[in-house]
């Protein structure tokens, strides 16, 4: 890249143009509308449970013997992850736009559950698209979404993961523009989605700043977050972008290797492209076809990088790295035993990186890692990863209890 | 439009789209859609031949992309199959070249990423050399960096960059697009994606009127065209009627390329 690229944009069929203009206008208005701000803050506090705690990981810090480790526990949010924050923001906007339905895509199921929850809370219908492969990996979340009144539509073609769910959600939206708002689950898609979801999520970074100020009286030296599309990452980083002393590190899914289809890391193989409404780095073939991806965590199993993160990466402000499937699983175990937190497999990628860098850092340095979600949703995956025999027996028993 | 006529006429294949449109009389033309590489690369050329024989006036060749945002399951799955059977952008462009030999105007359709990856100048040069007269890129609006680049490159090559619009697109937006649009409007019968239902938007006729009051470009209408009745209804308001998924369905159901010719001749008025 010799010239500086402009990432983002709105690469969309003309039929979406008017709807996006309306959304941009509603978003711009909401930013300046005290009533919207009040409603949003109220839901974050009294529904989602913000502010989320900043945990001092004292035993992990001792064990690793280097920098002081703090965990920003977004898993303490209602529904168990950061996703609910941008769902509440978009849900309120959808209501202002007079929409009756929220559409969502979901990978891990977290964004789907969060959207279904917000739809129920705000009195909206909800339709969630989820790849068949992800349904297999995260079946319990399908059950929860359905209990919350959402309709879950399996995506049966393509790679049957998150990117295909985005495709189908976009298509369904184009068929229901009057009625529905598409509640995109990360900082991706056409303008204004990347900016809008970052705007809602940037509360993570602001809370980190004030909580750490209170505890340590200073800024963190490093902020680490996992990166799928990038919503928890940019949410954690944004407030610190102007603070040049703070290193920002995004951790992608290293999967099981560096070949095409074995990982989901744009650092390893991302190439400039145009996809799902935005320009950014994508995993793709020489032919310009979107490449298959792999991650043990459904939420990071996506080929594109949020455009604002791509911009920070190009500038050199953001560092990208990756953690392997096995490292993520080991990190869950490490922090569970030492800190009493069971991390989602997505967030465990950030934790795995903390395990790598903390020992090399000075003791008076501070790392804040964003724990984007708690691990409840990964119960079955953990049980399988740890080859837990008694859990297996339990499943058999449970199966027999059904007639 | 005159500006377009002259540049299109320079196109070496001698199948000028504008001349065809100007001489069509009262009848609307038929644009038949096909996917390069379906069922295989070589058989897809036979599909084109069948469409031409069956009475298609213009052939739209889709270059398969892994994630076709504007396509319903029929075409999306078909593109996936074509790619699995080994279709690539390069091979698909070879198909375009062969299809252009059937002396029907050929319009290429694909998505932004495959073009962007190849490089806009190289892509346009290749389809121009292959004999294509038009290009449709549903996910690349004119007012993007790549849109501007496509407009300039297509203009220089005498290729029409055809905008896809739908009922609901406001007049002010149409006016902006009309400044740069060439060839014809590709107007979808409703908001949504290809295939799916034959339910056309109730405001389609009114929208087409708006299109006509916005520019002199001919209007092609498609999405969900499945029967002769659909073609009849649409030909009352359209200069060109477009069908696509219906041929994919015919091909899959009968596993014979002759089914495509039959379907085409049955649809043709
Ligand atoms: C817990 C959790 N963390 C992270 C992600 C990845 O998304 P993003 O990169 O947008 O934060 C997901 C997505 O499903 C998730 O559920």
């Amino acid at each position: 890249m010799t010239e500086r690229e402009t990432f983002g944009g709105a690469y969309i069929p003309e039929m979406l143009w008017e709807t996006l203009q309306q959304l941009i206008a509603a978003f711009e208005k909401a930013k300046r509308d005290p009533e919207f701000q009040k409603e949003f803050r109220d839901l974050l506090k009294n529904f989602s449970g913000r502010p989320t705690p900043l945990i001092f990981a004292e035993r992990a810090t001792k064990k690793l013997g280097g920098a002081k480790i703090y965990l920003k526990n977004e898993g303490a949010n209602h529904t168990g992850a950061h996703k609910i924050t941008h769902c509440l923001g978009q849900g309120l906007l959808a209501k202002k736009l007079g929409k009756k339905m929220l559409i969502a895509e979901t990978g891990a199921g977290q964004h789907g559950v969060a959207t279904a929850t917000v739809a129920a809370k705000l009195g909206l219908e909800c339709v969630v698209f989820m790849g068949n492969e992800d349904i297999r990996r995260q079946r319990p979340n399908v059950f929860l979404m359905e209990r919350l009144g959402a309709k879950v539509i399996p995506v049966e073609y393509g790679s049957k993961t998150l990117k295909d769910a985005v495709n189908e959600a976009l298509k369904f939206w184009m068929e229901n523009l009057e009625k529905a708002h598409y509640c995109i689950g990360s900082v991706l898609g056409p303008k204004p989605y990347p900016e809008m979801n970052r705007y809602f999520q940037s509360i993570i970074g602001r809370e980190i700043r004030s909580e750490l100020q209170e505890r340590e009286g200073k800024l963190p030296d490093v902020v680490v977050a996992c990166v799928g599309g990038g919503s928890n990452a940019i949410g954690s980083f944004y407030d610190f972008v102007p603070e040049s002393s703070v290193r920002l590190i995004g951790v992608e899914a290293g999967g099981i290797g560096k070949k095409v289809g074995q990982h989901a890391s744009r650092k390893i193989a991302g190439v400039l492209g145009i996809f799902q409404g935005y320009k950014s780095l994508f995993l793709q073939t020489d032919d310009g076809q979107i490449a298959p991806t792999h991650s043990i965590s459904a939420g990071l199993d996506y080929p594109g990088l949020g455009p604002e993160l791509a911009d920070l990466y190009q500038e050199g402000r953001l560092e990208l790295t990756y953690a392997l499937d096995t490292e993520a699983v080991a990190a869950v175990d490490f922090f569970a035993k030492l800190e009493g937190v069971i991390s989602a497999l997505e967030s465990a990628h950030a934790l795995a990186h903390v395990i790598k860098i903390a020992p090399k850092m000075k003791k008076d340095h501070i790392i804040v890692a964003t724990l984007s979600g708690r691990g409840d949703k990964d119960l079955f995956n953990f049980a399988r990863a740890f080859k837990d025999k008694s859990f297996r027996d339990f499943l058999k028993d449970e199966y027999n209890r059904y007639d | 439009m005159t500006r377009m006529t002259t540049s299109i006429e320079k196109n070496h294949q001698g199948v000028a789209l504008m001349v065809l449109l100007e001489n069509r009389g009262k009848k609307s033309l038929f644009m038949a859609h096909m996917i390069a590489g379906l069922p295989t690369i070589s058989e897809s050329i036979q599909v084109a031949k069948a469409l031409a024989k069956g009475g298609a006036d213009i052939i739209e060749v889709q270059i398969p992309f892994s994630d076709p945002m504007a396509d319903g399951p029929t075409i999306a799955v078909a593109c996936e199959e074509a790619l699995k059977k080994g279709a690539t952008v390069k091979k698909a462009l070879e198909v375009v070249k062969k299809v252009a030999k059937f002396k029907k105007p050929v319009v290429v359709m694909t998505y932004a990423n495959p073009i962007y990856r190849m490089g806009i100048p190289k892509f346009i040069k290749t389809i121009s050399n292959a004999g294509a007269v038009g290009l449709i890129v549903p996910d690349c609006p004119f007012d993007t960096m790549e849109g501007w680049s496509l407009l300039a490159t297509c203009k220089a090559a005498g290729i029409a960059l055809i905008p896809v619009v739908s009922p609901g697109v406001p007049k002010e937006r149409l006016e902006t697009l009309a400044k740069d649009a060439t060839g014809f409007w590709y107007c979808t019968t409703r908001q949504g994606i290809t295939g799916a239902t034959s339910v056309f938007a109730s405001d389609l006729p009114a929208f087409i009127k708006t299109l006509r009051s916005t520019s002199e470009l001919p209007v092609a209408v498609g999405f969900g065209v499945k029967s002769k009745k659909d073609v009849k209804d649409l030909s009352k308001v359209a200069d060109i009627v477009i069908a696509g998924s219906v041929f994919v369905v015919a091909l899959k159901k009968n596993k014979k390329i002759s089914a495509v010719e039959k379907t085409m001749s049955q649809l043709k008025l």
Side-chain angles (χ1 to χ4, degrees), chain A residues 80-83 86 106-111 138 162 185-188 226-233 266 298-300 309 344-347 371-374 377:
Chain A
H82 69 291
K83 299 279 182 191
H86 56 230
T106 197
Q110 284 310 106
H111 175 65
Q138 311 262 271
L162 184 52
S186 191
V187 281
L188 47 87
C226 68
V227 187
S231 63
N232 88 90
R266 285 61 53 115
L300 304 188
L309 286 170
L345 277 169
E346 287 79 10
S347 331
L371 193 69
S372 55
R374 58 176 183 245
K377 70 175 175 64

Side-chain angles (χ1 to χ4, degrees), chain B residues 151-168:
Chain B
L151 279 170
T153 325
C154 283
K155 192 172 173 187
I159 286 181
L161 190 61
I162 296 157
V164 183
V165 293
S166 315

Side-chain angles (χ1 to χ4, degrees), chain A residues 5-6 10-18 157-160 163-164 167-168 170-172 174-178 271-277 279 282 284-291, chain B residues 64-73 76-77 80 83 88-90 112-114 116-117 138-141 144-146 164-166 168-170 172-173 177 188 190-193 196:
Chain A
E5 264 308 329
T6 340
Y11 296 86
I12 40 125
E14 289 295 336
M15 73 179 83
L16 281 172
W17 188 82
E18 174 71 359
Y157 56 93
S159 61
K160 305 182 186 72
K163 85 168 165 67
D164 310 277
N167 290 340
E168 290 315 292
L170 271 169
K171 292 177 193 179
F172 183 80
M174 289 194 271
E175 299 198 308
N176 296 279
L177 288 173
E178 287 283 312
V271 174
L272 199 58
I274 297 167
F275 183 53
Q276 291 181 336
K279 190 199 279 185
F282 293 98
Q284 53 177 304
T285 68
D286 293 341
D287 203 40
Q289 311 293 340
I290 300 305
Chain B
F65 174 53
S66 53
D67 297 82
M69 174 205 262
D71 286 303
V77 170
E80 198 183 335
L83 289 169
T88 59
V89 174
K90 212 170 143 207
N113 202 54
Y116 186 67
R117 186 71 201 257
D139 63 343
C140 192
T144 56
M145 242 158 55
E146 293 68 25
V164 183
V165 293
S166 315
V169 175
E172 77 209 73
R173 179 66 180 166
L177 297 175
T188 70
R190 51 183 156 69
Q191 295 178 337
I193 49 176

Side-chain angles (χ1 to χ4, degrees), chain A residues 22-31 36 86-99 102 122 124 181 192 196 199-200:
Chain A
Q22 287 167 1
L23 183 60
I24 291 168
F27 171 50
E28 291 304 324
K29 188 161 166 241
K31 282 199 245 179
F36 180 94
H86 56 230
C87 293
L88 286 168
Q90 288 191 58
L92 287 177
L93 280 181
K95 287 211 83 152
K96 300 253 181 255
L97 286 163
K99 307 287 177 179
L102 294 181
L122 301 181
L124 299 164
H181 169 73
M196 184 170 67
Y199 173 82
F200 294 133

Side-chain angles (χ1 to χ4, degrees), chain B residues 185-246:
Chain B
W185 295 104
Y186 187 127
C187 170
T188 70
T189 54
R190 51 183 156 69
Q191 295 178 337
I193 49 176
T194 59
T197 65
S198 291
V199 181
F200 303 146
S202 55
D203 57 347
L204 179 63
F207 181 71
I208 292 174
K209 261 199 199 130
T210 313
L211 277 179
R212 295 201 188 280
S213 74
T214 309
S215 90
E216 289 180 353
L217 284 185
V219 178
V221 182
F223 276 29
V225 174
K226 285 194 165 52
S227 64
K228 193 156 192 163
K229 181 178 180 302
D230 293 341
V231 179
K232 239 185 216 154
D233 290 350
L234 292 180
S235 67
K236 285 180 204 140
V237 288
D239 303 300
I240 303 169
V241 178
I242 312 161
S245 301
V246 69

